[in-house]
C-alpha cells in the first residue's frame, strides 16, 4: 500500500499490532517495520513518523524510537 499511495502519503502513524507478549512496543507484534521503512524510502517519504507509545512512559518512548532508528537511515 505504501508504494501504491506513494506521494499521496502526508504522514505516517507507526504502531504494532497483534502483540503476542501483551505489550505495545514496536517489534513485539506483526508489523514488518523493516519492509515499511524500505517502502517509505522507496517513495522518498521525508515526513514525520508518529509513534503510538504509551503517554508518560519515557522508557517505552526510548525503546520504540530505538527500534525505528534501527531501520532508518
Amino acid at each position: 500500500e505504501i508504494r501504491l499511495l506513494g506521494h499521496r502519503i502526508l504522514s505516517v502513524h507507526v504502531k504494532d499490532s497483534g502483540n503476542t507478549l501483551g505489550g505495545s512496543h514496536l517489534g513485539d507484534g506483526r508489523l514488518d517495520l523493516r519492509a515499511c521503512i524500505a517502502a517509505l524510502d522507496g517513495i522518498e517519504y521525508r515526513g514525520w513518523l508518529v509513534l503510538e507509545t504509551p503517554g508518560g512512559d519515557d522508557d517505552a518512548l526510548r525503546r520504540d524510537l530505538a527500534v525505528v532508528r534501527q531501520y532508518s537511515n
Side-chain angles (χ1 to χ4, degrees):
E1 291 176 350
I2 292 171
R3 289 185 177 90
L4 178 66
L5 293 171
H7 70 277
R8 295 176 197 87
I9 297 175
L10 302 176
S11 66
V12 176
H13 177 114
V14 182
K15 75 176 210 175
D16 215 333
S17 63
N19 296 354
T20 57
L21 303 176
S24 58
H25 295 290
L26 291 175
D28 289 346
R30 300 180 312 197
L31 176 67
D32 185 349
L33 188 57
R34 181 183 311 272
C36 290
I37 296 292
L40 290 169
D41 285 343
I43 64 166
E44 299 181 355
Y45 177 77
R46 298 296 177 254
W48 292 98
L49 297 179
V50 179
L51 303 180
E52 184 169 314
T53 303
D57 188 343
D58 290 346
D59 290 334
L61 175 60
R62 280 189 280 277
R63 182 181 187 272
D64 288 349
L65 188 56
V67 170
V68 170
R69 285 182 172 156
Q70 176 181 336
Y71 299 114
S72 299
N73 296 336

